Each structure stands twice: as structure tokens, then as C-alpha cells.
Amino acid sequence: MLTEVTATRYIEPLRSGGSVPGLVEADDLGTYVVKFTGSAQGRKALVAEVIVGQLARALGLRFPELVLVDFDPAIAAGEPHQEVRELHSVSAGTNLGMDHLPGARDFTPEVAEVFPVDPVEAGRIVWLDALTVNVDRTTHSSNLMVWPTLGVAPPRLWLIDHGAALVFHHRWAASDPAKAYDFRHHALGRYAPDVRDADAELAPRVTEELLRAITAEVPDAWLADDPDFATPDAAREAYVGYLHARVRASSAWLPTDFPAAEELAEENARRAARTRQGRPDWLKRVPDLHGKPEAAQDWSVHLG
């Protein structure tokens, strides 16, 4: 089961994502990134974080330790932003904490240009994402970190943020365990991920017993409000059944088509051109910084 800790000091909000997690210290002397139950993404995002994160760790992928954090909004009374205080006020009690990786860097397209990734490791990560229907690890939003960045230990890839995974649990009645999703723009597609070998290695390890052990770590309160199930245990069995059926159907959804970097660049250019086509003239002159370093933009059009 997940370790339970109590938040003792609120450090700051993190605004890199829409859920506005908070950085806190806890009574075990650890520092955690806390995702709150009251965030706009809802409790199903926390369910996905636990199931996918713990599955990643069970399969030997690098993912920070998760803990359950008892959070009292009073420790963050000095937070100056009203919307963050309101988030805290509706999140009293048990929330989800992820071990903080100090100094970690985002795995951006610029970092990807110079950071080596083994096709075997890339294949395992892509396979996990395809299994858990995590479509939010793309070239523009990798949800990967490079850590450590200081000292003598070599930097490694770490997985983070799986709240957008398990998309099937938003519409159980329409879910299909054999459905294939588009992973052509996966953040690690450029590394020739060996997904077939990953399937042969990892699929036999995703057993019903493992899935039951992982879903048992999800707090009852995060499952109790699901209208599709009468009890939290019934919801857990649904996750177990879906993921186990999906593992057995991997031949139907295994992603193997990953375009080269040049192809992706051409696709992005065409997409940007289509986006600009319908804009008024003044808006066409606004640079598109999505996924590109600011230094690469031509700002001369704004200088007269």
C-alpha cells in the first residue's frame, strides 16, 4: 500500500500544468509534488496517476515514489492567489504526492536533440503508454524528466504525470480493450522504440494478480463517486478486467509506425499553416512558439 504522510510545510504552487499541484514538505522529511483532489481534472486523474505510476514501477520503469498526503489547508494560509487557496480549501484530507526530483529538466524537443535514449527503453515506455492509453506523452508535451542533472550520476529519463491516461474510464460503456490509438507523435518515437520486444517482455508480467495489487492502492474515496459502479471494489475489478484484456489484445493496438523527425517537422509546418490560414492579417504576424524555442522565432515583423 502507498505510504501515508502528513504535509507539514507548503512551499509553493507549481503552474506548469492545469492542475496546479503544490510543492510540500512532509513529516517523513520528504518533499513532494502534491496533486489535489479538488483540481479541475477530478479524482479520476488521481486514480490514473496511481494505477499507471505503480504499474510503471512494477515493470522497472523510472517513476518517482507515490505517497498519500494528508493536507490541511491551514499550512498554506499564506498563499497569495485566491484561486489556489480555493483549490486547497476543497482538497483537505487525502491527496496524492509524488517524490520531488530536485533540479530535474523537462524532456523538451531541444533536449531530445542531444539526449540519447536506448530503443529498448523507448519501446518499454511507448508500450506502457499504449497499454494504459496515455496519449499525453507527445513531442510537444513529453511528461518526461531528465534527472539527476548534478553530481556524478548519469542523467536518466523519468516518467511523470499520468493523469490523462486510462481515457476509457471516462466512458466505460464505450470502452474497447482492443482499440488502437495514434502514437505517431509520441515523444520517444524518434528513437526507433522497440515496441515488439517490449510487448514480449512486459505483457506476461501484467497479470491479474499484479493489477489487483495496484488497484488496491487507490483510496476508496477516489472510486466511491463513480456512477458506473456500486462499490469501490467493483470499480477496481473493472480496471483489472479492462487492462488485463488489453494486454491479451496487444496485437491489435501495438504501435509500430513512428515517423522520422523530418516527417514530423513537415507535419507540424502543415498544421501551423492550416492554423494561420483562417486568421486575420494582424494575427498572422504573431509568432507561433508552440514547441519551439523563442530564439528561433523571427521577431523583426513586430519591429516596424
Side-chain angles (χ1 to χ4, degrees), residues 42-59:
R43 295 186 177 185
K44 283 194 174 182
L46 302 186
V47 173
E49 292 280 9
V50 173
I51 293 176
V52 181
Q54 294 300 85
L55 182 57
R57 289 170 63 87
L59 296 177

Side-chain angles (χ1 to χ4, degrees), residues 58-177:
L59 296 177
L61 297 173
R62 285 180 291 275
F63 180 80
E65 179 185 3
L66 293 176
V67 297
L68 298 178
V69 180
D70 183 32
F71 181 81
D72 182 351
I75 70 169
E79 166 57 47
H81 297 94
Q82 180 180 347
E83 72 277 11
V84 178
R85 292 198 305 272
E86 291 174 352
L87 170 62
H88 295 164
S89 69
V90 296
S91 301
T94 301
N95 296 272
L96 184 65
M98 183 180 73
D99 194 22
H100 178 53
L101 305 179
R105 296 177 60 196
D106 288 328
F107 185 76
T108 63
E110 294 71 45
V111 172
E113 291 286 346
V114 297
F115 188 82
V117 178
D118 182 357
V120 173
E121 180 178 23
R124 291 169 178 161
I125 295 173
V126 172
W127 185 88
L128 174 72
D129 288 337
L131 169 65
T132 59
V133 198
N134 179 27
V135 295
D136 194 26
R137 203 184 314 279
T138 67
T139 52
H140 294 304
S141 176
S142 72
N143 286 321
L144 292 166
M145 304 293 285
V146 176
W147 188 81
T149 54
L150 299 173
V152 297
R156 303 293 189 199
L157 272 187
W158 288 74
L159 286 67
I160 61 167
D161 289 351
H162 296 113
L166 307 184
V167 296
F168 56 84
H169 67 178
H170 297 289
R171 293 184 62 194
W172 282 104
S175 62
D176 176 7

Side-chain angles (χ1 to χ4, degrees), residues 8 10 14 36 67 69 74 93 120 132 148 150 168 186 188 200 208 211 221 226-228 244 248 255 278 281 292:
T8 56
Y10 177 77
L14 302 177
F36 295 104
V67 297
V69 180
V120 173
T132 59
L150 299 173
F168 56 84
H186 194 282
L188 300 180
E208 289 181 298
L211 293 170
D226 194 324
D228 290 303
H244 194 245
R248 290 178 292 169
D281 288 342
K292 301 175 183 178

Side-chain angles (χ1 to χ4, degrees), residues 254-302:
L254 205 64
T256 56
D257 179 22
F258 301 100
E262 295 77 13
E263 295 177 79
L264 285 176
E266 291 176 2
E267 287 185 20
N268 290 336
R270 289 194 295 269
R271 185 182 301 110
R274 288 195 300 269
T275 300
R276 291 191 179 95
Q277 189 173 11
R279 291 177 175 176
D281 288 342
W282 68 269
L283 192 54
K284 290 179 181 179
R285 297 163 67 87
V286 176
D288 178 8
L289 298 181
H290 185 59
K292 301 175 183 178
E294 184 172 335
Q297 304 300 317
D298 179 9
W299 290 86
S300 61
V301 295
H302 300 281

